[in-house]
Amino acid sequence: MNRNFIEKVNDICAENADKELISYYKDDGSVERWTYGSFRAEVAWMVAQLEKSSIQKGDRVLLLAVLSPEAYRIIIALAMYGATCVILDGEQPQEELNYLVEQSDVRAVFTNVEYYNRYVKEYAEKYPVYNLATGCQFCKKTYSLSVTEDPDNEVMAILYSSGTTSEPKGVMITYEGQLCSSKYMLRTFGTTNIRYLVVFPLFHISGFSTFLAIFLGGGQIGLLENVIPTKLLEGFQQFHPNAFGMVPKLYETFQRRIIEQIQQKEFDKLILHLINFSGWVRRYFGLNIGKILFRSINKQVFGGEMVFLGVGGGLVTEKVSVFFQKLGYCWMNTYASTEQNLPMATTTSLDN
């Protein structure tokens, strides 16, 4: 199945060589852009670095990093090389992180400079630790590590469950499972023409699988160097996504701010009546007039091109979900689990 995954990556990058894959918005105001062609070249370079390293095919390799093009690059490079990527939350308590690292039985670590200086440096006593940006070891040291006892060539990545019912467990994401997950996730949109602003972290199944689904579908991804409310609003205006997903709390905040801004306008009551009328027409006649009536709200809040809004990680209130449907968006309630690596139950873009 690794062969099928490799062929899919090569084909999608060849078909979209000049198309932009990643737009990375940095805190200094600059934008780093990666096309499918340049991304494939970067992955090939990283695979060459892996071949010169002590990492063996079948080894488990730890990734501790925030969202970035380089993090995406190592995930795909490890998959193409034949190693398994273990992705953990670098911000969790040190004791818990150390426990999961030990349980994962890794043979190497990839991380960024900030994480290395903060706490990953101590891992260099036991494992080779590589700079995510350069592919070079932080500490020039030779290691005598035993061969991985239980490699699984069908496993692309390991993510840990949230542990809501028991202790966190390492979930093995297979190549076949990820290809299926990507197909099903794109089916909920009903299109592969996706410009998705990703804010879910990589160690979360939503962040991991969304990236791969959009990538393998030939879509486009927007990333923020720092995911804070002000930067998020800037990201909407700069990237102009047509798809976005986040936890309920954020949508509650957006709804409150939209209503507050409407109430400051001269014809506030008329606008609120129009929102309710739009919802009534959509519900009983299947006509989405909200996307036309409230284009100005779409532009001010989401950048003007937003179509698909998804929510997961918790239950959103009916009041919030109905509000955004009245405004004309395709609203997708999603329930998923790390163990399934795909939505277990979700509304789609075709549902009212």
Side-chain angles (χ1 to χ4, degrees):
M1 187 50 65
N2 176 263
R3 187 181 301 109
N4 291 346
F5 184 86
I6 291 174
E7 289 177 358
K8 180 65 175 177
V9 169
N10 287 333
D11 289 347
I12 204 71
C13 288
E15 292 169 10
N16 301 277
D18 297 326
K19 182 178 180 180
E20 188 174 295
L21 167 61
I22 302 170
S23 299
Y24 183 43
Y25 298 94
K26 297 186 175 182
D27 288 344
D28 62 8
S30 64
V31 184
E32 188 177 320
R33 304 185 189 276
W34 296 42
T35 64
Y36 275 84
S38 64
F39 182 75
R40 180 66 186 89
E42 288 283 339
V43 167
W45 171 80
M46 183 57 76
V47 171
Q49 298 299 107
L50 292 170
E51 289 172 343
K52 293 186 290 186
S53 73
S54 61
I55 299 171
Q56 303 296 310
K57 296 181 186 298
D59 279 352
R60 286 188 284 274
V61 178
L62 174 63
L63 172 61
L64 286 171
V66 295
L67 280 171
S68 69
E70 290 79 14
Y72 286 162
R73 177 180 64 185
I74 191 60
I75 289 173
I76 299 300
L78 287 169
M80 304 286 273
Y81 178 67
T84 298
C85 186
V86 179
I87 310 175
L88 295 178
D89 177 7
E91 299 296 333
Q92 63 185 310
Q94 188 70 46
E95 184 178 347
E96 293 180 23
L97 181 61
N98 291 342
Y99 169 76
L100 295 179
V101 172
E102 189 69 26
Q103 187 182 63
S104 301
D105 192 28
V106 300
R107 292 295 180 273
V109 182
F110 274 85
T111 192
N112 51 38
V113 174
E114 180 188 354
Y115 276 7
Y116 178 77
N117 290 330
R118 278 172 54 190
Y119 57 84
V120 179
K121 188 180 294 185
E122 67 180 58
Y123 292 157
E125 295 297 320
K126 188 174 181 179
Y127 316 105
V129 181
Y130 295 89
N131 187 320
L132 195 60
T134 66
C136 299
Q137 277 185 239
F138 280 102
C139 178
K140 298 297 183 181
K141 180 181 176 182
T142 303
Y143 298 83
S144 298
L145 298 173
S146 60
V147 177
T148 301
E149 294 181 1
D150 56 346
D152 191 331
N153 294 326
E154 293 298 310
V155 177
M156 173 186 180
I158 295 177
L159 277 69
Y160 276 79
S161 64
S162 59
T164 52
T165 57
S166 63
E167 291 295 318
K169 297 171 290 294
V171 177
M172 297 182 289
I173 308 295
T174 65
Y175 290 95
E176 180 181 11
Q178 186 53 59
L179 289 173
C180 289
S181 172
S182 298
K183 179 178 67 176
Y184 288 130
M185 288 183 69
L186 289 172
R187 187 181 295 177
T188 66
F189 292 105
T191 178
T192 58
N193 183 27
I194 302 295
R195 286 176 59 83
Y196 200 110
L197 185 64
V198 180
V199 294
F200 276 113
L202 278 171
F203 59 82
H204 193 285
I205 191 62
S206 295
F208 178 80
S209 287
T210 297
F211 153 60
L212 284 159
I214 304 304
F215 169 52
L216 296 175
Q220 297 172 280
I221 295 169
L223 296 178
L224 306 175
E225 185 175 13
N226 192 3
V227 184
I228 58 175
T230 54
K231 293 296 180 182
L232 179 58
L233 294 175
E234 289 178 14
F236 285 134
Q237 299 303 321
Q238 293 176 303
F239 183 60
H240 305 289
N242 66 358
F244 177 71
M246 198 50 189
V247 295
K249 190 67 176 178
L250 186 65
Y251 289 114
E252 292 169 8
T253 301
F254 281 159
Q255 181 200 25
R256 185 174 63 254
R257 290 184 176 179
I258 290 171
I259 292 176
E260 287 174 352
Q261 290 188 359
I262 290 174
Q263 290 173 338
Q264 294 174 9
K265 297 182 181 296
E266 184 177 357
F267 302 104
D268 58 322
K269 291 183 179 179
L270 174 61
I271 296 172
L272 292 173
H273 281 309
L274 277 176
I275 290 176
N276 289 328
F277 175 72
S278 170
W280 181 82
V281 170
R282 187 172 187 179
R283 180 173 183 179
Y284 291 102
F285 297 96
L287 299 176
N288 186 1
I289 63 174
K291 63 182 180 181
I292 299 173
L293 292 176
F294 308 113
R295 282 180 295 187
S296 61
I297 293 177
N298 193 336
K299 186 174 182 179
Q300 291 173 17
V301 179
F302 296 114
E305 303 295 329
M306 190 64 72
V307 176
F308 310 99
L309 292 177
V311 62
L315 180 64
V316 70
T317 65
E318 183 179 0
K319 180 180 178 181
V320 171
S321 64
V322 169
F323 176 77
F324 285 100
Q325 290 175 74
K326 289 176 180 178
L327 293 180
Y329 301 105
C330 295
W331 182 265
M332 291 178 279
N333 286 311
T334 300
Y335 175 72
S337 75
T338 311
E339 290 83 355
Q340 287 293 94
N341 187 29
L342 58 103
M344 297 172 69
T346 181
T347 52
T348 75
S349 61
L350 299 178
D351 297 315
N352 291 321

